[in-house]
Amino acid sequence: MSCFLALFVLKKGMKYLLLYFFSSAGENFEQTPLRRTFKSKVLARYPENVEWNPFDQDAVGMLCMPKGLAFKTQADSREPQFHSFIITREDGSRTFGFSLTFFEEVTSKQICSAMQTLYHMHNAEYDILHTPPTNDKESCSSTGDCNGTSVSKLQRFNSYDISRDTLYVSKCICLITPMSFMKACKKVLEQLHQAVTSPQPPPLPLESYIYNILYEVPLPPAGRSLKFSGVYGPIICQRPSTSELPLFDFPVKEVFELLGVENVVQLFTCALLEFQILLYSQHYQRLMTVAETITALMFPFQWQHVYVPILPASLLHFLDAPVPYLMGLHSNGLDDRSKLELPQEANLCFVDVDNHFIELPEDLPQFPNKLEFIQEISEILMAFGIPPEGNLHCSESASKMKSLRACDLVSDKRNGNIAGSPLNSYELLKENETIARLQALVKRTGVNIDLPNISKKDLKIQCDEEEFKIYQLNIQIREVFANRFTQMFADYEVFVIQPSQDKESWFTNREQMQNFDKASFLSDQPEPYLPFLSRFLETQMFASFIDNKIMCHDEDDKDPVLRVFDSRVDKIRLLNVRTPTLRTSMYQKCTTIDEAEKSIELRLAKIDHTAVHPHLLDMKIGQGKYELGFFPKLQSDVLSTGPASNKWTKRNAPAQWRRKDRQKQHTEHLRLDNDQREKYIQEARNLGSTIRQPKLSNLSPSVIAQTNWKFVEGLLKECRNKTKRMLVEKMGREAVELGHGEVNITGVEENTLIASLCDLLERIWSHGLQVKQVRNKYSSTLQRILLDSERRKSDTSPAMSPLRISLVQDMRHIQNISEIKTDVGKARAWVRLSMEKKLLSRHLKQLLSDHELTKKLYKRYAFLRCDDEKEQFLYHLLSFNAVDYFCFTNVFTTILIPYHILIVPSKKLGGSMFTANPWICISGELGETGVLQIPRNILEMTFECQNLGKLTTVQIGHDNSGLYAKWLVEYVMVRNEITGHTYKFPCGRWLGKGMDDGSLERILVGELLTCHTEADERQCRTPPLQQSPSMIRRFVTISPNNKPKLNTGQIQEAIGEAVNGIVKHFHKPEKERGSLTLLLCGESGLVSALEQVFQHGFKSPRLFKNVFIWDFLEKAQTYYETLEQNEMVPEENWQTRARNFCRFITAINNTPRNIGKDGKFQMLVCLGARDHLLHHWIALLADCPITAQMYEDIALIKDHTLVNSLIRVLQTLQEFNITLEASLVKGIDI
């Protein structure tokens, strides 16, 4: 007979005791009987039942002994094993269990005889199944190492002989609580076990101690500590206050020792992104500790899916669930990872806890600021003597860490700054000679710099030192993790989409509703954060977090976790207002460790409550009998019910009401009549900067006015600093060289700079509003002004005229973007659009020009009603017009944008007679349109497609149909109808067979036209013409006198400038680079410069015969192919170059595109630059006999000195990885 005892604690003082019986053998006959597990059953529980919280017997039975009952002999290790577990009900509520499993001697002769019989049966079955054949006996005896021998040894080791062996069986006592006081529960169980194994009986019967735990020891109130008596000593538990991180009582130290910092952060990332997670260990408590630690570190988010830290053997089918889960699987210590068959392993995070190993799912994004995050955690761990890489099974490593001195830690380069740790930095420097000399020198000047006594205060901690260190490490690590989310989601509230209907309707239609403006939130984040955040925002835990935010409008209704997180966010916002910091991806360390640590220290130093001591119960004589080594069956009559009254049930009832009253009084005290405030405005200004930040108790009208004036000055100063910083960042290194900044302030992402500017604009817009709204002050005020402006503008622009400057039209564009859900998101998108159009200052000036409306909306002291400050504010914003921002185009990459196309044919050469069907394809940095058919004789059209980004090339052509399939196109204009960006794509070439170079399509490279804001006001059909980069690429016989003839010096200069432009491109930071296509194929690009090289000294062709550079290259190809066929090859390198050259010429000629001969030359130059072959081809062509035939003696290509110089210049491109735009090499697979 074996049993386990479960003590079930339900609420403040409502508890139970349970007893189970275990019997019935398992079916695994491969294992010896002592290695088998057996089913278990409850013997008893106390109290027997609680109506409002029924006891789940099956769940507790499986989790107390997940593998069932076990037997051992005196030869086996029988150390008590503690583990905790958790029961999650269908409604999501959780109950914590703490179990201590130990072994007691089996006194029943029937059970001992049954075990002996099982061994006889097992040995007999094994002999039948494993006896080797007769012809193998000799081989067995000769080798001396057959299976039978080794197994017989194993059997003898695990055998059971009733005459000489003592049989032991597992027994379990369990304490179940509504909250996870793991350390206290473990001590209670250990002392109960000690009471029955000690030679001397305990001072009181066990029933007295258990009754005390069940009914007389309350849960400690929030923010308080509690001491109660165990069997042999006091036990202390403490509970965080409502303003601290939630209760967590598992040792974080163990997780980092088992896995190491890197693995913990990777596991943490997998949990946040809701991958399937399987923990694997021989120790149940390790499974529970790792699972609870990872979920606790998620604060303020909570795991929403299947959560079974200890998976009983009977529930292994749970691993097949196609949903996210976090489960713990027990290992027997023999099977390795390869023997586990797990489904969906591509999305599984497998953690072998015992072996310091983690297997990550595919495509796992990196946690933001991962390296700095790991560094901060490592500093804390090393301060507590824990190596960041973990020290599992490394006794040598552990002993080294224990003997490591603090100075060794400081000298360790991996450690960095050990801020906020128990290390005494001054003690490290006390023996430093330099510090001593400096101290003596300063003392001679009469200044006393005695170093402060920073030794630990003489606070007597009520728990032992090791336990206190666990508390310290836990809170420090948790604060660091919580700080990451506080920093990343500091402004999450403004992106929450509040429902327009009542809560019931919203909850009913929750699946169809969007609760968070993800597009706008992500547009404000640093670019390195996006891979992680874009996936995290799609998780169930984030959606539930936002749902809680929506459902809890009032402070009293708030979820406790949400309340703590929001208070931390508020502190960060307050800090940013007082000392404005730029929102960047720069890592910001945790600053709340000391405060959190102090709270715990105070609770442990001064115990708030002491529970009633255990006492004798009203028991019958003979009850509570003590028997050494056996846990007795307890007396149910004294443990079934608790005392009639409990002083802990009524405590501090009016505390919340008193707190509410204080808040109400404080709010009323802040209220001042508007006239009174305006009366003191001037007085406040005169006080200047002599007044420091006032105390909350000093709320006179003049001080309030002064504070508001300080806000105005602070906002203006921040605006000045922010605009300067943004300009320096945008101008990059050139600004630093000109003395406008320091190198260390560059490198901040443009995305975060503009998000920071939006934060500033929101604060300016909301300062001094007459009617304070709870949310979206900035955007709603903007909308009111915009609507008022719209009513006064009744005129509409002609459909085909150029874009007019219209604040209202820009706002309409933003409102039509369906991806942006919230008012704040729309307001920020409008700011981005205005910056990109260089109209932000102008638009805001127009908005603020309506003084009557401003006066109506804002109080007298508001920033927007301080005329001088407002003018300076607009002036600072005007400076943004000096640089080009693409902050709207590059952020909202998935929106639909209308584009307007204008094709300008030659007016002189009969464009109106064109009979073919034209088409066009526009490419940008974010994609291309595909082929768009243009209606015949239509030269202007508008179409809509997904954002293309900055436009780079236009492919234009026709199908060569009709009688007059010849088209001379001067240029193409394409305009983004939202941003107003206009690109010009010069052509100046014919499209048609028999005309020009016979091309039916051309690739045009465009440039963004400079915006002239004032000039755009006047009506203008098209922008002024620019010289076409392709105009010079005419065949030799057409208008030779009109072409500019360059000498060799000018050609060399053009080549140098083209190559230098490419080199500069790659040496710039990636975000500052322009268009590489323009540098290759533009007006002063590499293709144009090389055309000049090949056109110099080109012999004049015969009359009516057009000769192109491509003709020369084809003849050179024919020559080299003939030479190779005749096997007249000078050298191997020369042969390789010739083959490459011929291969590229052939591939380009075989392309299905009708790009003409000059288009083919452009493609060859681009491919040669990509594959670093241009300098080889120049050398090859310079030595080719065809060159002598087709070029004059003065030609540059025949001057070896100039050719060698050209080759050296082109060789500088070899170090760069040139990636060509798809439109340039379409149809070529080489």
Side-chain angles (χ1 to χ4, degrees):
M1 300 290 289
S2 60
C3 67
F4 91 82
L5 179 69
L7 309 176
F8 194 27
V9 185
L10 294 176
K11 264 288 194 196
K12 300 178 180 177
M14 292 296 294
K15 303 147 190 161
Y16 266 80
L17 172 61
L18 320 163
L19 220 59
Y20 292 88
F21 173 71
F22 307 104
S23 64
S24 172
E27 303 295 330
N28 185 4
F29 293 108
E30 289 294 323
Q31 295 280 357
T32 60
L34 283 178
R35 294 292 173 264
R36 298 176 193 170
T37 56
F38 300 81
K39 292 181 181 179
S40 58
K41 186 179 179 182
V42 177
L43 271 179
R45 64 177 183 262
Y46 304 97
E48 186 65 28
N49 192 31
V50 174
E51 292 182 4
W52 49 269
N53 199 344
F55 177 71
D56 191 341
Q57 179 168 315
D58 293 333
V60 174
M62 283 191 297
L63 292 169
C64 278
M65 287 185 169
K67 285 207 166 184
L69 195 67
F71 287 90
K72 291 188 177 183
T73 66
Q74 76 281 355
D76 299 310
S77 172
R78 303 187 307 281
E79 288 296 319
Q81 296 293 324
F82 170 84
H83 79 269
S84 52
F85 58 87
I86 189 169
I87 300 173
T88 306
R89 296 187 177 85
E90 291 181 0
D91 61 356
S93 61
R94 291 179 175 180
T95 301
F96 293 88
F98 305 95
S99 169
L100 185 71
T101 304
F102 51 93
F103 285 83
E104 288 184 353
E105 183 180 344
V106 178
T107 57
S108 169
K109 292 183 179 180
Q110 291 179 334
I111 294 178
C112 294
S113 299
M115 181 61 69
Q116 182 79 69
T117 304
L118 284 175
Y119 256 99
H120 290 321
M121 293 171 60
H122 173 76
N123 291 339
E125 290 173 2
Y126 190 88
D127 289 341
I128 294 171
L129 293 174
H130 295 85
T131 300
T134 47
N135 57 353
D136 288 345
K137 284 183 180 178
E138 293 182 3
S139 62
C140 269
S141 60
S142 63
T143 59
D145 186 23
C146 63
N147 288 337
T149 306
S150 61
V151 171
S152 64
K153 290 179 181 177
L154 185 64
Q155 285 177 346
R156 281 199 298 274
F157 180 75
N158 288 326
S159 64
Y160 171 70
D161 188 337
I162 194 171
S163 61
R164 60 179 172 82
D165 291 326
T166 304
L167 188 64
Y168 294 88
V169 66
S170 60
K171 183 177 281 188
C172 176
I173 53 176
C174 174
L175 186 63
I176 298 177
T177 68
M179 301 183 74
S180 177
F181 293 101
M182 191 273 292
K183 297 185 187 73
C185 292
K186 183 179 181 181
K187 288 181 180 179
V188 168
L189 295 175
E190 287 175 343
Q191 292 190 26
L192 285 173
H193 177 254
Q194 183 184 349
V196 297
T197 56
S198 296
Q200 296 296 326
L204 297 171
L206 286 184
E207 284 84 350
S208 294
Y209 299 102
I210 293 170
Y211 182 90
N212 180 251
I213 292 292
L214 291 176
Y215 300 115
E216 296 175 334
V217 176
L219 290 175
R224 302 296 178 90
S225 54
L226 172 74
K227 181 194 286 187
F228 62 96
S229 299
V231 181
Y232 294 107
I235 299 171
I236 295 171
C237 57
Q238 59 90 25
R239 183 177 172 187
S241 70
T242 54
S243 61
E244 298 176 66
L245 293 178
L247 174 66
F248 175 73
D249 208 28
F250 290 81
V252 169
K253 171 185 177 181
E254 186 177 344
V255 178
F256 284 96
E257 285 180 332
L258 290 168
L259 296 177
V261 182
E262 173 77 23
N263 285 342
V264 170
V265 172
Q266 295 285 55
L267 172 58
F268 179 66
T269 307
C270 291
L272 289 172
L273 298 181
E274 297 182 341
F275 284 100
Q276 292 179 330
I277 297 173
L278 183 63
L279 309 176
Y280 192 59
S281 174
Q282 297 180 58
H283 307 278
Y284 292 119
Q285 184 59 14
R286 285 183 179 179
L287 295 173
M288 187 68 181
T289 301
V290 173
E292 282 293 286
T293 299
I294 292 300
T295 53
L297 294 177
M298 289 178 181
F299 172 89
F301 305 102
Q302 297 175 358
W303 181 261
Q304 299 291 321
H305 301 279
V306 178
Y307 183 67
V308 189
I310 297 175
L311 185 65
S314 59
L315 300 179
L316 289 181
H317 59 277
F318 273 28
L319 295 174
D320 296 327
V323 296
Y325 58 69
L326 200 166
M327 298 191 203
L329 186 62
H330 186 261
S331 161
N332 59 13
L334 301 175
D335 298 336
D336 59 9
R337 167 72 176 90
S338 59
K339 294 182 181 179
L340 284 176
E341 295 182 2
L342 302 172
Q344 305 176 21
E345 295 193 10
N347 292 317
L348 177 72
C349 175
F350 178 82
V351 184
D352 189 341
V353 179
D354 300 332
N355 295 311
H356 198 93
F357 171 75
I358 182 169
E359 204 173 274
L360 296 172
E362 299 174 0
D363 193 27
L364 179 69
Q366 187 164 293
F367 189 77
N369 295 113
K370 178 185 171 184
L371 295 179
E372 296 91 339
F373 186 37
I374 287 177
Q375 172 70 14
E376 186 176 10
I377 299 169
S378 300
E379 290 173 4
I380 293 174
L381 293 176
M382 293 186 74
F384 283 87
I386 303 169
E389 65 275 10
N391 59 5
L392 176 65
H393 302 318
C394 301
S395 56
E396 182 181 352
S397 170
S399 62
K400 283 182 181 178
M401 287 304 299
K402 286 179 182 177
S403 62
L404 198 60
R405 295 178 304 167
C407 55
D408 296 326
L409 288 176
V410 171
S411 63
D412 186 355
K413 292 181 180 178
R414 293 173 302 173
N415 184 32
N417 298 322
I418 311 181
S421 71
L423 280 181
N424 189 333
S425 57
Y426 172 55
E427 292 296 325
L428 303 177
L429 299 174
K430 188 184 288 184
E431 299 176 2
N432 187 291
E433 294 180 3
T434 305
I435 293 294
R437 287 198 302 270
L438 285 173
Q439 190 173 359
L441 178 63
V442 176
K443 278 186 177 179
R444 285 199 295 270
T445 66
V447 178
N448 185 8
I449 61 161
D450 286 337
L451 290 161
N453 180 13
I454 54 174
S455 62
K456 189 175 177 181
K457 290 186 177 180
D458 193 17
L459 286 174
K460 187 178 180 182
I461 303 299
Q462 298 291 320
C463 61
D464 61 76
E465 186 178 355
E466 189 61 33
E467 186 176 343
F468 181 59
K469 284 186 177 180
I470 291 175
Y471 279 123
Q472 285 181 310
L473 178 59
N474 272 15
I475 197 62
Q476 288 190 28
I477 293 292
R478 292 179 68 202
E479 287 289 344
V480 168
F481 274 80
N483 178 59
R484 297 313 312 132
F485 290 118
T486 311
Q487 298 289 346
M488 282 193 287
F489 293 95
D491 59 348
Y492 84 99
E493 288 183 90
V494 298
F495 299 99
V496 175
I497 303 174
Q498 292 291 349
S500 54
Q501 65 269 54
D502 59 273
K503 284 186 181 181
E504 273 191 34
S505 304
W506 177 85
F507 200 76
T508 305
N509 303 310
R510 170 66 192 89
E511 294 300 321
Q512 290 78 36
M513 304 293 289
Q514 288 195 354
N515 63 359
F516 194 73
D517 190 356
K518 297 172 185 175
S520 298
F521 177 79
L522 290 174
S523 71
D524 279 359
Q525 302 309 309
E527 191 170 328
Y529 290 12
L530 298 182
F532 171 81
L533 284 178
S534 58
R535 295 175 66 170
F536 179 66
L537 297 190
E538 301 300 323
T539 60
Q540 185 63 41
M541 73 174 70
F542 183 78
S544 298
F545 173 75
I546 300 299
D547 285 349
N548 283 342
K549 180 68 178 175
I550 292 174
M551 297 297 288
C552 304
H553 285 294
D554 301 327
E555 190 70 22
D556 295 333
D557 294 340
K558 270 190 183 178
D559 176 76
V561 171
L562 187 62
R563 187 184 298 117
V564 175
F565 182 71
D566 283 351
S567 68
R568 289 169 174 245
V569 165
D570 291 341
K571 286 181 182 178
I572 284 190
R573 288 179 178 168
L574 186 62
L575 180 65
N576 287 341
V577 169
R578 290 179 178 174
T579 57
T581 56
L582 185 67
R583 185 198 315 197
T584 70
S585 60
M586 187 183 301
Y587 190 80
Q588 297 179 2
K589 281 192 172 185
C590 180
T591 58
T592 57
I593 290 177
D594 290 340
E595 182 183 348
E597 208 172 20
K598 187 69 176 175
S599 300
I600 294 177
E601 186 177 340
L602 290 173
R603 281 197 293 273
L604 294 176
K606 181 180 180 296
I607 301 301
D608 297 300
H609 304 287
T610 301
V612 176
H613 290 277
H615 51 85
L616 280 172
L617 301 176
D618 186 14
M619 298 171 62
K620 296 177 182 178
I621 298 175
Q623 289 184 339
K625 185 180 177 182
Y626 172 78
E627 188 176 356
L628 179 62
F630 293 91
F631 200 96
K633 185 173 182 180
L634 302 174
Q635 304 304 313
S636 59
D637 55 341
V638 296
L639 296 177
S640 58
T641 57
S645 63
N646 192 332
K647 68 174 183 177
W648 298 98
T649 56
K650 299 178 181 180
R651 56 177 296 107
N652 296 337
Q656 291 183 345
W657 296 107
R658 288 200 300 270
R659 186 163 58 249
K660 281 185 183 178
D661 289 341
R662 285 197 299 270
Q663 292 173 348
K664 184 178 179 182
Q665 290 167 9
H666 180 68
T667 305
E668 291 174 350
H669 186 58
L670 286 175
R671 291 176 186 166
L672 271 179
D673 185 65
N674 292 332
D675 295 333
Q676 289 178 312
R677 292 197 180 196
E678 291 190 23
K679 177 181 176 182
Y680 293 103
I681 285 287
Q682 191 59 41
E683 179 186 350
R685 291 194 180 187
N686 293 336
L687 289 173
S689 58
T690 57
I691 293 184
R692 296 182 178 181
Q693 179 69 22
K695 295 181 181 179
L696 289 177
S697 57
N698 183 6
L699 294 172
S700 64
S702 61
V703 172
I704 292 175
Q706 167 63 20
T707 303
N708 283 311
W709 176 241
K710 283 289 184 184
F711 278 140
V712 171
E713 289 184 331
L715 289 170
L716 183 62
K717 182 179 179 181
E718 188 178 350
C719 179
R720 180 173 62 251
N721 294 338
K722 204 172 293 292
T723 51
K724 179 181 177 181
R725 179 110 184 231
M726 292 177 69
L727 288 171
V728 169
E729 171 64 23
K730 192 65 179 174
M731 295 170 70
R733 296 176 185 172
E734 295 178 6
V736 176
E737 291 167 3
L738 292 172
H740 293 298
E742 300 175 6
V743 178
N744 61 359
I745 70 170
T746 60
V748 182
E749 294 84 354
E750 179 181 299
N751 207 28
T752 57
L753 288 165
I754 294 173
S756 179
L757 177 68
C758 290
D759 289 339
L760 172 63
L761 293 178
E762 288 169 9
R763 294 205 303 275
I764 289 174
W765 226 258
S766 61
H767 182 245
L769 273 174
Q770 288 283 7
V771 182
K772 284 283 185 183
Q773 301 173 38
V774 178
R775 296 172 42 81
N776 302 342
K777 299 180 283 287
Y778 169 48
S779 51
S780 18
T781 309
L782 260 182
Q783 286 183 328
R784 289 181 66 179
I785 299 177
L786 288 168
L787 289 172
D788 190 76
S789 303
E790 189 173 358
R791 293 190 196 101
R792 295 196 296 268
K793 293 180 178 293
S794 56
D795 57 315
T796 57
S797 306
M800 301 308 294
S801 64
L803 287 179
R804 290 173 58 252
I805 296 175
S806 171
L807 183 153
V808 177
Q809 187 61 42
D810 287 347
M811 197 60 188
R812 283 179 182 152
H813 284 312
I814 299 301
Q815 289 172 335
N816 292 334
I817 298 175
S818 59
E819 286 86 350
I820 306 175
K821 308 295 181 185
T822 59
D823 289 340
V824 168
K826 290 176 181 178
R828 293 190 172 198
W830 179 83
V831 171
R832 289 175 179 273
L833 178 59
S834 299
M835 286 190 69
E836 187 162 328
K837 298 178 77 170
K838 300 187 178 183
L839 294 172
L840 181 60
S841 178
R842 179 170 179 159
H843 279 346
L844 292 179
K845 185 176 182 180
Q846 181 182 343
L847 285 173
L848 299 174
S849 61
D850 190 336
H851 298 291
E852 289 299 320
L853 186 59
T854 308
K855 192 173 181 180
K856 178 181 176 183
L857 293 175
Y858 289 97
K859 297 172 184 175
R860 177 64 190 87
Y861 60 81
F863 182 95
L864 296 179
R865 290 191 63 186
C866 300
D867 294 336
D868 293 342
E869 286 72 20
K870 181 175 68 177
E871 287 300 319
Q872 292 182 57
F873 161 67
L874 295 173
Y875 177 78
H876 291 314
L877 294 183
L878 187 63
S879 62
F880 287 137
N881 292 4
V883 291
D884 294 321
Y885 278 102
F886 288 86
C887 49
F888 180 85
T889 300
N890 292 338
V891 167
F892 300 99
T893 57
T894 60
I895 64 173
L896 290 178
I897 289 184
Y899 290 92
H900 187 75
I901 302 174
L902 175 66
I903 302 172
V904 181
S906 171
K907 297 179 180 178
K908 297 180 180 179
L909 298 172
S912 58
M913 300 169 61
F914 179 58
T915 59
N917 298 305
W919 57 266
I920 195 169
C921 177
I922 303 169
S923 300
E925 292 180 350
L926 301 178
E928 68 172 26
T929 60
V931 173
L932 300 173
Q933 298 295 332
I934 304 173
R936 197 178 301 172
N937 297 325
I938 297 296
L939 301 176
E940 202 168 359
M941 62 180 286
T942 302
F943 69 95
E944 198 174 57
C945 73
Q946 187 169 307
N947 187 2
L948 300 175
K950 298 177 189 176
L951 303 188
T952 52
T953 60
V954 159
Q955 302 162 62
I956 187 169
H958 61 79
D959 62 357
N960 200 38
S961 62
L963 298 175
Y964 193 78
K966 302 170 185 178
W967 200 18
L968 179 59
V969 177
E970 291 293 341
Y971 57 87
V972 177
M973 304 284 292
V974 182
R975 184 177 67 205
N976 182 320
E977 293 292 275
I978 292 181
T979 66
H981 289 319
T982 305
Y983 297 82
K984 183 178 182 181
F985 299 86
C987 180
R989 306 293 297 271
W990 282 96
L991 287 87
K993 292 290 185 182
M995 301 296 291
D996 205 331
D997 61 347
S999 174
L1000 292 182
E1001 65 175 280
R1002 296 199 182 277
I1003 304 170
L1004 311 181
V1005 180
E1007 286 188 90
L1008 178 65
L1009 297 183
T1010 305
C1011 175
H1012 298 287
T1013 307
E1014 299 299 330
D1016 288 344
E1017 297 275 5
R1018 54 181 196 271
Q1019 299 293 322
C1020 175
R1021 177 75 174 173
T1022 59
L1025 286 177
Q1026 290 186 349
Q1027 184 182 3
S1028 168
S1030 300
M1031 286 291 286
I1032 201 167
R1033 233 175 291 166
R1034 298 283 186 88
F1035 44 84
V1036 177
T1037 56
I1038 289 189
S1039 306
N1041 297 326
N1042 295 336
K1043 283 193 320 170
K1045 294 184 178 180
L1046 305 182
N1047 56 38
T1048 54
Q1050 292 172 317
I1051 294 174
Q1052 283 181 297
E1053 185 179 350
I1055 287 285
E1057 288 180 356
V1059 172
N1060 193 38
I1062 297 173
V1063 171
K1064 282 184 176 180
H1065 171 86
F1066 284 101
H1067 276 92
K1068 289 180 180 178
E1070 191 169 349
K1071 292 183 179 297
E1072 295 180 18
R1073 295 176 185 175
S1075 170
L1076 182 59
T1077 301
L1078 191 62
L1079 296 174
L1080 289 172
C1081 306
E1083 184 175 353
S1084 302
L1086 184 62
V1087 173
S1088 176
L1090 286 175
E1091 277 184 343
Q1092 296 283 3
V1093 170
F1094 285 106
Q1095 285 177 349
H1096 186 263
F1098 206 69
K1099 288 184 178 179
S1100 298
R1102 298 189 302 274
L1103 197 61
F1104 306 118
K1105 171 83 173 173
N1106 300 337
V1107 181
F1108 298 86
I1109 298 171
W1110 190 254
D1111 296 324
F1112 160 66
L1113 298 177
E1114 285 182 323
K1115 288 185 179 181
Q1117 176 203 11
T1118 305
Y1119 168 77
Y1120 288 125
E1121 287 177 343
T1122 305
L1123 201 63
E1124 189 171 2
Q1125 289 172 3
N1126 296 334
E1127 298 183 353
M1128 299 171 62
V1129 180
E1131 58 179 79
E1132 187 176 349
N1133 286 340
W1134 184 93
Q1135 182 182 8
T1136 303
R1137 294 173 184 177
R1139 283 179 179 172
N1140 274 334
F1141 175 74
C1142 296
R1143 183 165 60 94
F1144 276 80
I1145 296 289
T1146 302
I1148 292 172
N1149 275 328
N1150 292 336
T1151 181
R1153 300 173 67 184
N1154 295 306
I1155 54 176
K1157 294 180 178 179
D1158 281 350
K1160 293 176 179 178
F1161 175 76
Q1162 174 176 289
M1163 188 178 289
L1164 180 69
V1165 172
C1166 292
L1167 291 171
R1170 183 194 70 182
D1171 296 343
H1172 308 129
L1173 296 172
L1174 285 178
H1175 59 285
H1176 291 317
W1177 293 346
I1178 294 292
L1180 197 70
L1181 293 171
D1183 295 335
C1184 181
I1186 303 299
T1187 304
Q1189 298 174 16
M1190 300 187 69
Y1191 282 88
E1192 305 284 353
D1193 291 338
I1194 61 168
L1196 186 151
I1197 195 70
K1198 295 178 74 173
D1199 188 324
H1200 290 291
T1201 303
L1202 296 177
V1203 168
N1204 289 335
S1205 175
L1206 175 61
I1207 289 172
R1208 285 195 299 273
V1209 171
L1210 292 175
Q1211 281 176 334
T1212 59
L1213 298 179
Q1214 289 187 93
E1215 60 180 291
F1216 306 116
N1217 181 22
I1218 294 176
T1219 303
L1220 299 177
E1221 189 178 327
S1223 61
L1224 297 178
V1225 291
K1226 192 180 290 184
I1228 293 290
D1229 184 17
I1230 190 170

